[in-house]
Amino acid sequence: MSNVRKPMVAGNWKMNGSLALLHTFISELKASPLLDTVLCVPYPYLAAASKASFKVGAQDCSQFEAGAHTGDIAVGMLQELGATHVIVGHSERRQDHNESNIAVALKVQAVLNAGLTPILCVGEPLKVRQAGNVNKFVFEQLQAVIEVCSKDFLEKCIIAYEPIWAIGTGKTASPEQAQEVHQFIRTEIVKWNQNAVSTRLLYGGSVNASNAHALFAKPDIDGGLIGGASLKIDDFIAICNAAK
Ligand code: PGA
């Protein structure tokens, strides 16, 4: 964790949780000046979550501002409900909904146009890691967004490195493996835009209360994107404390 970048912990509830659980979080999870805490809840919980002291995010959005797109949600609507952040390009969206790198890029643009902060997810499947092509894979995911959004976006977004083989599997990348990719991402984004030295890079993939500290101690890991452990208030608070 660097001195220049404020640490950040973002929870990703995915399609989990309940209003009752949300109320527990609102009463027990307090914002801290030392840390940006964001909870990305399912759409129906956004309005209730906006009463919290922590920041609130959505897990996806439409690339369009409005129109005939049944079932989709525009970023402006998320903003009306108090969302400040939007996860874009999570591997589960890329897989379950066939979201291409270009579709992800258009969504990042839509989030930026509305003045919200995208949390852009990148990360490789196991086969790509085994073949030794992690950097190339992640580079192409980033490059697709830069082609659509211009290099400015790199200083306005948060990037989450989430190796797919580590998500929800209990197989965390080691702090060294995660740092290696974070350092690569940092080097590349700073080549594109020197202000990206202050862009936060989060690690995601089976982060829990026991491994968070070692991960966050690495110089290019500025916090975490937390799935399963963001549904347990004590674990989530412990992870937030590890990032401070
Ligand atoms: P996990 O999920 O912490 O349950 O591995 C992380 C994510 O998918 O954002």
Side-chain angles (χ1 to χ4, degrees):
M1 189 112 39
S2 87
N3 297 331
V4 287
R5 296 179 294 269
K6 187 173 182 181
M8 176 168 177
V9 172
N12 173 13
W13 272 15
K14 312 192 179 190
M15 200 175 71
N16 296 303
S18 63
L19 273 181
L21 184 66
L22 180 61
H23 287 130
T24 305
F25 272 67
I26 292 173
S27 60
E28 295 189 27
L29 178 65
K30 296 298 172 206
S32 156
L34 302 176
L35 174 75
D36 278 336
T37 310
V38 185
L39 195 62
C40 299
V41 295
Y43 295 130
Y45 301 153
L46 280 171
S50 68
K51 314 261 180 317
S53 68
F54 49 82
K55 292 179 181 151
V56 175
Q59 301 169 10
D60 182 44
C61 63
S62 171
Q63 70 191 66
F64 302 107
E65 274 180 45
H69 304 289
T70 302
D72 288 345
I73 312 277
V75 185
M77 298 168 182
L78 302 175
Q79 192 171 29
E80 283 182 303
L81 294 184
T84 54
H85 292 70
V86 184
I87 296 175
V88 181
H90 191 282
S91 57
E92 287 152 18
R93 302 274 334 158
R94 292 179 192 259
Q95 278 168 359
D96 299 355
H97 299 271
N98 294 319
E99 283 188 14
S100 64
N101 279 344
I102 297 301
V104 169
L106 293 171
K107 289 181 179 199
V108 169
Q109 186 64 64
V111 175
L112 292 172
N113 287 348
L116 275 69
T117 304
I119 302 176
L120 169 65
C121 298
V122 297
E124 80 288 355
L126 187 57
K127 276 193 176 154
V128 169
R129 175 159 287 267
Q130 286 168 337
N133 292 329
V134 176
N135 290 358
K136 180 174 179 285
F137 188 89
V138 168
F139 181 85
E140 284 170 4
Q141 288 182 320
L142 290 171
Q143 194 177 33
V145 183
I146 286 165
E147 279 167 10
V148 169
C149 300
S150 91
K151 294 168 187 165
D152 278 3
F153 109 88
L154 289 169
E155 57 192 275
K156 297 182 186 143
C157 73
I158 289 155
I159 297 172
Y161 169 60
E162 298 206 311
I164 296 173
W165 48 272
I167 295 178
T169 57
K171 283 190 209 151
T172 327
S174 69
E176 292 69 31
Q177 283 174 318
Q179 166 59 24
E180 200 181 338
V181 184
H182 280 234
Q183 191 175 16
F184 170 74
I185 294 173
R186 173 87 53 213
T187 306
E188 294 304 318
I189 64 177
V190 170
K191 275 190 217 158
W192 275 312
N193 177 344
Q194 59 188 21
N195 294 334
V197 71
S198 20
T199 297
R200 266 95 52 98
L201 305 184
L202 311 182
Y203 169 77
S206 298
V207 179
N208 58 41
S210 317
N211 61 25
H213 203 273
L215 285 159
F216 300 164
K218 292 293 175 190
D220 288 298
I221 302 182
D222 305 311
L225 180 56
I226 319 298
S230 74
L231 289 157
K232 299 176 201 140
I233 185 69
D234 293 343
D235 290 11
F236 194 62
I237 289 175
I239 292 168
C240 289
N241 288 337
K244 280 180 196 161

